[in-house]
Amino acid sequence: MVTLESGEPAASADVLFAQLYHELRRLARSRLAGGGRHTLLDTSALVHEAFMRMQREGLVALADREHFLAYAAKTMRSVVIDFVRRRRALRRGGDVEHITLDTRAGEMLGTRDDEILEVHEALQTLAQVDARLVSVVEMRYFAGLTDLEIAAALGVTDRTVRRDWERARLLLAQLLGR
C-alpha cells in the first residue's frame, strides 16, 4: 500500500490524490505537451477525470509511489482515448450523416484524432505480444515517467526498460506501417 510522508499507510484514494496531486499534474502536463494540443483537455481536466475514474474503479493494492503513478498513467491513457472517441463522434454528427463541401477541411480535422486511435489500437495488438512493452509505453509516453521510475514500478532494471522501449517503438512503427 502507498504510504504517506509520515510513513503510515494511505487510507483512501482521496489521501493519495492529495499527496500526489502535483506529481499527477506534472504527468498530465507532460502528456498533453508531448502530444500537442490534440484534445481540448487541459492538465486539470485530465488529472481530475483520471482521479474520478480511479475512485469509481476502486484502487488496487499499490506497493509504492511508482505503482500508483503507473496506474494513473494507464487511467490517463484511457481518459484521452475516450475523449477523442467522443469528440470524433460529435464532430461527425453522431448517427447523422455529415456531408462537407470541402473534403480537404474534413480530412485536416480528423488527422490527430485518427493518429491517437491508431496508436491505441496498435497498443492493444502489442499487448497480445508482450504486455510489459505496453506498460513501458504507457508510463513513458502517456505519463512521462523516467526509465528509473518505470523500472521501479515494473521491478526490472532501467537498462531493461530502455531495451523494452526500443523494442516497443520498433514494433509500434511496424504495426502503424511507418
Side-chain angles (χ1 to χ4, degrees), residues 27 31 55 65-66 83 89 91 93 107 125 151 156:
L27 296 177
R31 171 63 198 123
Q55 254 193 337
R65 175 185 163 277
E66 285 77 17
F83 184 85
R91 183 176 44 228
E107 291 168 4
T125 303
V156 297

Side-chain angles (χ1 to χ4, degrees), residues 51-101:
F51 173 70
M52 288 189 313
R53 286 191 187 190
M54 289 165 55
Q55 254 193 337
R56 192 171 42 241
E57 294 170 6
L59 282 176
V60 294
L62 301 168
D64 52 30
R65 175 185 163 277
E66 285 77 17
H67 284 95
F68 177 78
L69 294 176
Y71 184 63
K74 185 178 289 285
T75 305
M76 285 182 193
R77 172 185 169 203
S78 71
V79 168
V80 169
I81 296 301
D82 290 347
F83 184 85
V84 167
R85 285 180 175 154
R86 273 193 312 273
R87 193 172 78 175
R88 282 182 77 199
L90 291 174
R91 183 176 44 228
R92 292 183 180 14
D95 291 336
V96 176
E97 185 176 343
H98 182 74
I99 300 172
T100 183
L101 297 176

Side-chain angles (χ1 to χ4, degrees), residues 32 35-41 79-94 108-117:
L32 293 175
R37 289 309 254 184
H38 53 76
T39 70
L40 298 177
L41 285 171
V79 168
V80 169
I81 296 301
D82 290 347
F83 184 85
V84 167
R85 285 180 175 154
R86 273 193 312 273
R87 193 172 78 175
R88 282 182 77 199
L90 291 174
R91 183 176 44 228
R92 292 183 180 14
M108 290 179 358
L109 282 175
T111 304
R112 270 318 262 170
D113 290 352
D114 291 342
E115 185 177 308
I116 291 169
L117 292 177

